[in-house]
Amino acid sequence: MVDAALYARSGLTDIHEKVLAGERLSREDGLRLFACPDILAVGSLAFLARKQRHGLRAHYVRNRQINYSNICHTGCRFCAFARREEEEGAFTLTREDILAKVADDGGIPFAEIHMVGGCNPVLPLAWFEETFRAIKRLRPDAVLKGLTVTEVHHLARMEGIADAEAFARLKDAGVAMVTGGGGEIFNPAVRDSICPDKISGDDYLRLAGEAHKAGLKSNCTMLFGHVESHADRVDHLCAIRAQQDKSGGYVCFIPLAFQNRNNTLAAELEAAAGHPPAGPETTLDRLRTIAVSRLLLDNIDHIKAYWVMLGAKTAQAALFFGADDLDGTIEEEHIGRMAGAASGSVLGSGGLTRAALDHMIRESGFEPVNRDALFRNLSGAGAPARPKGDADATAGAIAKARSGERLGWDDALILYRDADLLTLGDLARTVRERLHPEPVVTYVADRNINYSNVCVCACRFCAFYRPPGHPEAYVLDKKQLAEKIEETLELGGTQILLQGGHHPHLPLSFYEDMLRWIRETYPAIHIHAFSPPEIAFFASRSGMSTREVIQRLRAAGLASIPGGGAEVLAARVRTKVSPNKCPADQWLAIMAEAHEQGLKTTATMMFGHEESDVERLEHLFRLRGLQDESLASREGAFTAFIPWTFQSANTAMAHCKPMPAPGYLRLLALSRLVLDNFPNIQASWVTMGPEVAQLALFFGANDFGSLMIEENVVAAANVRFRMNREAIHRVIAAAGFEPRQRLMDYRPA
């Protein structure tokens, strides 16, 4: 239900009409899609084409990848996997090793066995034939997908036989498909630069035709994001489309994102640019490439978001940009991981389970379909992830949001549950542009200083706190504080965020003394400190009112109050996850008191644990109500809203599954629509990663949060994204915005 005006503003109306009519797009159309700065317009077109073909189905497979050898003589400059025979780390699995991997399915049969390696100069075709036959005997029901066309051509040359005969022999041995690897980029100049000893692009296409003629299906690929141009990508896609017109055997197209570690090409690109290539700033380019692939490849059924190379969060988002497949469980993978793929830590712990993939898909709003390598449905009929509401009601809520009218509860709930993600993004982006017409994204240079980790609250979601007397418990002294503040100032920081636990033995005077000392010693630093639960605890320990505690802290040097400790402002949720922390009403009352005293504050929401969608809305509407009151009658107010997702590792709530990237973006967009009286919405790169945070700039966020010179609370839950100033600037600029450092109150720094 994206407004057609979106395509008109982006100059894509004619392409939109072609997509609606099912007409083939031209090469020039592909170039225009790459040149269009509006990622939501391009993504919406691809999502439309995807829905025409697959509805809301999203596929995955229970598969086993086997890299039988890394010995290869082609010497591709982008490859971190290949070794020469004499090199350290070179290996070739025995047939027994391979069969042991095939047998080790944990009681859940593999639907696909995927076997690739290098152009090994020793292993003959007969070795592969015997190995494949043994695999089929062991797993007769699994689809065997074996070797790239480059490997098959290499084997044919070794045997002195025609390529067609090699394909026929592999088929006779039980192979049903050849893999799509080796496509790289077809432009001869690019290919000469990155893989000069590999077969040409023309040969890659010709060999696919030979495989298809032999009765084998195949996938096809494109390695992108290195030295090629957008025109090279479009030409590559058009050449694949033409080959599919001829031979018709391609099952799925897989755009493979270039990885930037442990390979010659990456090292050269980093030396030339001064920073690693293919970093988080390339997320939008990756999603755009997936979208253009879906739009140009009208004769290939499936587009894969290969989570191994994209990372799971970007792959989830790609389901809204034309992809309909996430690949599979992949317990073991070496080629992408060795080149620095974002999924390396996941693969190191055993890949993704079927349950995890099912959750990733379903919670993103799609219907999971378990498939085999040939995309035959193994799930049965299936059912939509969630029934959609009344179409007229949804259209009415969208029209109301588009007009700029304030949303009521029912409208917000309808949008949250039933509007598609890209429509929500477009609506939120419109609000953002109305409030912030300049193409600027702000950030603050600050440091989170956790003055103590001692806490008696014992919140079930917290991995950071330690009880009194614990061997890891600490309270920072002034020397430690000084080191942290001085480093912050040296790095161009303007602010510190002071937060700790609820320490039962520290009097209010301790905090007053800390504030006075910081203000007197470092007068240039802004002190953003003590969340409402901390203030409530100080008051209860000192026998004072929270209003008086705020007055005393402000007199000592407190400049503003962070919005931490909000979690979800619903009584049921707080009773369940943080029963010893101040209740929701008190959190709001403390913020109101701070606003009355002229303090600026922020507001947060930690979501994705025990709360319902209705309770998330309750949180937003309670914040909006308080902001209305503060703006009308008080000196202070909320400056920004920061939603972030619960991180479950090392907590008492480890059963909670990760919030998918689309779920985060959906809540972020809704918050921009509901919180019409909040001037700023922050993207949370600390919890979601810089890739999703970059995409969030098109879903209502106008602020990139903090440089975060130090962060300990989220890190305690095993989430350790880090960015320096230059990286933040690259990510923002790559999205088409100007990065600008700010102060806490959003004045320029």
Side-chain angles (χ1 to χ4, degrees), residues 547-580:
R547 187 184 304 275
E548 185 178 358
V549 168
I550 295 171
Q551 290 172 341
R552 290 180 59 162
L553 293 175
R554 188 180 181 204
L558 177 66
S560 60
I561 293 178
E567 282 70 76
V568 173
L569 295 172
R572 184 195 69 85
V573 179
R574 295 179 82 80
T575 299
K576 196 167 185 178
V577 306
S578 54
N580 302 315

Side-chain angles (χ1 to χ4, degrees), residues 200-513:
S200 68
D202 287 343
D203 280 337
Y204 176 91
L205 295 166
R206 175 186 62 79
L207 288 163
E210 293 279 6
H212 300 164
K213 187 176 179 180
L216 294 167
K217 298 294 185 180
S218 74
N219 291 333
C220 46
T221 64
M222 175 175 71
L223 181 73
F224 69 96
H226 40 88
V227 300
E228 86 289 352
S229 66
H230 287 160
D232 292 331
R233 297 184 201 174
V234 171
D235 289 338
H236 186 104
L237 294 169
C238 289
I240 285 176
R241 185 171 71 182
Q243 180 60 49
Q244 180 75 335
D245 283 342
K246 293 177 187 176
S247 58
Y250 287 132
V251 174
C252 180
F253 174 69
I254 312 161
L256 297 171
F258 173 63
Q259 305 299 307
N260 62 12
R261 286 287 177 265
N262 304 323
N263 64 81
T264 304
L265 181 60
E268 291 179 3
L269 292 174
E270 180 171 358
H275 59 83
E281 69 275 6
T282 63
T283 301
L284 298 183
D285 183 58
R286 291 176 173 186
L287 291 172
R288 184 187 303 275
T289 300
I290 290 168
V292 176
S293 301
R294 177 63 287 163
L295 291 164
L296 286 180
L297 296 178
D298 53 21
N299 55 1
I300 296 178
D301 273 346
H302 302 285
I303 305 293
K304 181 178 295 186
Y306 190 41
W307 68 265
V308 172
M309 289 186 171
L310 292 171
K313 291 186 176 70
T314 301
Q316 291 162 2
L319 294 175
F320 288 91
F321 287 79
D324 65 279
D325 184 72
L326 292 181
D327 201 279
T329 49
I330 314 180
E331 282 85 350
E332 179 180 3
E333 194 278 345
H334 298 287
I335 296 173
R337 178 177 57 81
M338 291 175 70
S343 56
S345 60
V346 175
L347 289 164
S349 62
L352 290 174
T353 64
R354 279 182 56 187
L357 285 162
D358 190 280
H359 173 78
M360 284 169 56
I361 292 169
R362 192 174 297 280
E363 292 303 307
S364 297
F366 294 87
E367 172 196 341
V369 178
N370 183 24
R371 63 162 175 91
D372 67 10
L374 296 169
F375 280 81
R376 293 177 298 200
N377 186 347
L378 305 179
S379 297
R386 184 179 62 233
K388 292 296 180 182
D390 180 76
D392 290 339
T394 303
I398 290 172
K400 191 171 184 179
R402 193 163 278 138
S403 72
E405 186 177 347
R406 172 166 271 200
L407 295 180
W409 177 276
D410 291 342
D411 299 312
L413 189 60
I414 287 169
L415 288 173
Y416 191 42
R417 288 178 171 174
D418 298 327
D420 74 65
L421 178 66
L422 297 182
T423 296
L424 270 181
D426 186 39
L427 294 172
R429 193 249 314 258
T430 300
V431 175
R432 176 208 189 283
E433 290 174 348
R434 185 170 66 245
L435 294 172
H436 304 280
E438 291 187 10
V440 169
V441 170
T442 53
Y443 69 95
V444 66
D446 76 348
R447 181 182 205 128
N448 279 18
I449 299 179
N450 301 111
Y451 57 84
S452 175
N453 66 346
V454 177
C455 189
V456 293
C457 263
C459 296
R460 294 178 59 239
F461 58 79
C462 185
F464 172 70
Y465 86 93
R466 297 294 183 268
H470 191 280
E472 295 175 2
Y474 71 83
V475 176
L476 297 181
D477 60 28
K478 288 178 180 176
K479 180 176 182 296
Q480 292 168 310
L481 287 170
E483 291 172 352
K484 292 176 182 292
I485 295 171
E486 288 168 10
E487 183 184 23
T488 301
L489 291 168
E490 289 170 4
L491 293 171
T494 60
Q495 174 178 301
I496 56 170
L497 190 157
L498 283 174
Q499 281 187 313
H502 295 191
H503 198 303
H505 306 308
L506 297 179
L508 181 62
S509 58
F510 169 87
Y511 303 101
E512 292 176 291
D513 177 64

Side-chain angles (χ1 to χ4, degrees), residues 720-734:
R720 294 181 174 86
F721 295 112
R722 286 290 178 267
M723 297 182 75
N724 58 25
R725 191 187 306 272
E726 292 73 25
I728 286 177
H729 281 217
R730 285 198 305 273
V731 169
I732 293 172

Side-chain angles (χ1 to χ4, degrees), residues 62-66 98 101-103 110-115 132 135 139 142-146 177 179 373:
R62 166 75 168 135
N63 61 347
R64 166 68 85 182
Q65 277 205 20
I66 300 173
I98 292 170
K101 292 178 181 292
V102 172
F110 296 118
E112 169 192 309
I113 308 296
H114 176 121
M115 195 166 105
F132 289 141
I135 291 173
R139 295 291 182 217
V143 176
L144 182 50
K145 185 166 68 174
M177 293 183 69
T179 70

